[in-house]
Amino acid sequence: GESVGLHLPTLSVQEGDNSIINCAYSNSASDYFIWYKQESGKGPQFIIDIRSNMDKRQGQRVTVLLNKTVKHLSLQIAATQPGDSAVYFCAEGETSGSRLTFGEGTQLTVNP
Amino acid sequence: DVKVTQSSRYLVKRTGEKVFLECVQDMDHENMFWYRQDPGLGLRLIYFSYDVKMKEKGDIPEGYSVSREKKERFSLILESASTNQTSMYLCASSLRYFTDTQYFGPGTRLTVL
């Protein structure tokens, strides 16, 4: 499944499938990007980040892809599990700045 | 593990009341942040602080003030609560630099009647 960031706030996948969550960012000067996961009733939790000198970065079961040409960021979750059900949102910022701009988020639901 | 705690999980106040939200972090972080989270709007920065007694306005500071008298504690104050301040309030802290990971507290859901 694929989510188009702010325009499709929900994504439903089957357990074991790969998930792709997308984010379109607005500031062409942004050079630092982060993905957060927020479970129900909890604060956001850092997942992975990437700087603009990279196109791809991998973590444990997660991969972030950055396409600066079209100002697009995606989070890929491999072998999605029920515990991955949460809201995922991206954040962008300039390393010369002092704040992040957060997207609205995408609700990921993993069906058993 | 970094721990960020917030004084209340749920709070109900009346219009015009003065409201204090407190945040404490236990990792000697220099930076602390207050955000509000609303459906369809994402997280918006209210204020942040990069040192004791230092504060900077975020994107939506109107109607709020902050206090940081000790490094580990960052308070958000609503001088006269209004219904449009009903929201989820999230506190975060980070070590030193802008690109250091921000660690969030569990949030306070404030309802202003």
Side-chain angles (χ1 to χ4, degrees), chain B:
Chain B
D1 278 353
V2 176
K3 191 168 184 182
V4 179
T5 57
Q6 296 184 226
S7 51
S8 305
R9 294 300 304 272
Y10 300 93
L11 211 51
V12 179
K13 295 292 181 181
R14 297 201 175 274
T15 301
E17 280 192 82
K18 190 168 186 176
V19 182
F20 293 88
L21 302 182
E22 289 216 316
C23 175
V24 178
Q25 50 94 3
D26 66 356
M27 284 301 291
D28 203 35
H29 282 179
E30 293 187 3
N31 303 322
M32 296 189 76
F33 308 82
W34 274 108
Y35 294 91
R36 64 177 284 177
Q37 185 176 32
D38 300 288
L41 296 176
L43 267 72
R44 293 180 291 166
L45 182 64
I46 304 171
Y47 268 98
F48 67 99
S49 168
Y50 52 89
D51 200 353
V52 175
K53 297 190 185 294
M54 305 302 289
K55 60 185 179 184
E56 292 270 351
K57 292 181 179 180
D59 299 318
I60 51 164
E62 296 78 20
Y64 304 94
S65 62
V66 290
S67 173
R68 194 164 179 204
E69 296 296 318
K70 294 185 178 181
K71 191 173 187 179
E72 68 271 17
R73 190 179 299 268
F74 192 35
S75 301
L76 180 70
I77 303 152
L78 287 66
E79 294 289 341
S80 179
S82 63
T83 55
N84 63 10
Q85 292 179 309
T86 292
S87 186
M88 171 68 83
Y89 289 88
L90 288 160
C91 175
S93 72
S94 67
L95 182 59
R96 180 174 303 142
Y97 300 109
F98 164 70
T99 51
D100 289 330
T101 300
Q102 289 190 27
Y103 295 88
F104 284 84
T108 296
R109 180 157 302 277
L110 172 67
T111 302
V112 182
L113 302 175

Side-chain angles (χ1 to χ4, degrees), chain A residues 47-111:
Chain A
I47 301 174
I48 193 168
D49 61 1
I50 188 169
R51 295 176 190 266
S52 60
N53 60 352
M54 301 173 70
D55 296 325
K56 179 179 179 179
R57 192 171 186 211
Q58 288 185 290
Q60 188 176 12
R61 276 202 309 120
V62 295
T63 301
V64 56
L65 298 176
L66 175 63
N67 185 331
K68 296 180 286 293
T69 303
V70 295
K71 293 189 285 187
H72 184 268
L73 191 68
S74 69
L75 177 71
Q76 300 179 1
I77 305 173
T80 314
Q81 303 168 0
D84 294 327
S85 293
V87 174
Y88 291 81
F89 51 89
C90 64
E92 60 175 299
E94 300 175 48
T95 49
S96 60
S98 59
R99 65 191 64 182
L100 298 171
T101 300
F102 290 83
E104 291 178 27
T106 297
Q107 172 72 57
L108 175 67
T109 301
V110 182
N111 302 309

